[in-house]
Amino acid sequence: ILVKFELLEDDILKITEISSCTIVTNTTDAIDVEFFVTSHQNDTEKYFTNIDPLKTKINGIAFDADTFKDIIPIVEGEYFKKIFKYQLKDDTEYHIERYIVMQQDINLDRIYSFSSSKIIDDISIQLQYCEKLNVTFSSVGKNVFKTDNIPFDGQTYVNRDILMPGEKFKVFIFKK
C-alpha cells in the first residue's frame, strides 16, 4: 500500500491510497468483490472519498469512467460509507490495483486508517508526505509492524504475519 499525503490550499488534506492485492479462488464461477471507504462527512465538491475507476485495474484492465459513478453513501453512525462492488468471473486468480483519492479538512479530520474485511497475508505500507506535514504511524490492536529498510522517500512499515479482518493501522497527520 502506498499512501500519499498532501496539504492543499484552505487546509485541504489530499490523501491518495494505491493498493494492490491478489484474490485466488478455486472456481471460475462469478464472485462478488467489494471495496469500501468511509469518511466523516458526505461528499462535497471540496471534500470527498472516491475510487478512481480509470486508475483501478483488474488483471491490468482499467474500469470505464462511469463504473462507480452512482455510488450512494450509507450512513453508519457518524460515518459515511461507500461500497464499490464488482463481479469477478472466468478466472481463478485476479490481480487488483485500487486507487482511492480522499480530500478532507485537516482541522476536522487528522486521521487516515486502513481496515479490511478479508484476511491479509503479508502487507507493506509506504507513507509519502509533503514538506508541510508530519505523520505518525500507529498499529491497531495486536497487529505488529516493523520499519523496513527499503530505500524510499518517506516511511515504510511491514507485517509478514497473517492479519485477521478489521482495522490494521492508523496514521495521524499534523501540519508543521
Side-chain angles (χ1 to χ4, degrees):
I1 299 170
L2 170 62
V3 187
K4 299 177 183 181
F5 302 93
E6 183 181 359
L7 187 61
L8 306 176
E9 60 186 41
D10 297 328
D11 286 341
I12 295 173
L13 175 63
K14 179 180 180 182
I15 303 170
T16 304
E17 175 193 302
I18 305 164
S19 60
S20 63
C21 68
T22 299
I23 295 176
V24 179
T25 68
N26 59 1
T27 179
T28 58
D29 293 345
I31 60 167
D32 292 327
V33 65
E34 291 183 352
F35 308 119
F36 67 89
V37 292
T38 57
S39 59
H40 283 285
Q41 61 189 68
N42 203 0
D43 288 354
T44 66
E45 189 174 315
K46 197 174 188 179
Y47 306 113
F48 55 84
T49 302
N50 287 319
I51 192 167
D52 185 332
L54 299 176
K55 294 181 181 177
T56 297
K57 301 175 184 174
I58 295 181
N59 293 340
I61 300 169
F63 289 96
D64 179 90
D66 294 331
T67 302
F68 302 117
K69 187 173 83 173
D70 298 324
I71 302 297
I72 298 172
I74 300 166
V75 178
E76 290 186 347
E78 62 185 69
Y79 297 100
F80 294 87
K81 182 177 184 177
K82 287 184 180 177
I83 302 172
F84 303 95
K85 297 180 182 183
Y86 189 76
Q87 192 173 73
L88 303 174
K89 59 184 176 182
D90 301 328
D91 210 341
T92 58
E93 188 169 298
Y94 304 92
H95 302 284
I96 300 171
E97 300 169 44
R98 185 178 72 168
Y99 195 101
I100 294 174
V101 179
M102 300 166 253
Q103 286 190 184
Q104 58 201 47
D105 184 337
I106 194 168
N107 298 309
L108 301 175
D109 189 359
R110 298 171 187 252
I111 299 173
Y112 162 82
S113 67
F114 180 84
S115 62
S116 174
S117 59
K118 307 288 185 226
I119 295 172
I120 295 177
D121 179 13
D122 207 44
I123 185 171
S124 295
I125 300 113
Q126 296 176 323
L127 306 177
Q128 285 183 338
Y129 46 95
C130 72
E131 66 282 347
K132 300 175 194 172
L133 298 171
N134 282 323
V135 301
T136 301
F137 179 89
S138 178
S139 59
V140 173
K142 295 180 181 180
N143 300 324
V144 177
F145 289 88
K146 296 178 182 175
T147 55
D148 203 357
N149 296 336
I150 296 172
F152 178 74
D153 184 25
Q155 300 175 17
T156 304
Y157 300 89
V158 65
N159 180 306
R160 302 282 184 221
D161 297 325
I162 302 287
L163 298 172
M164 300 309 289
E167 192 172 35
K168 310 298 182 232
F169 65 89
K170 292 182 180 185
V171 179
F172 299 91
I173 307 115
F174 305 96
K175 292 191 297 185
K176 285 186 179 177

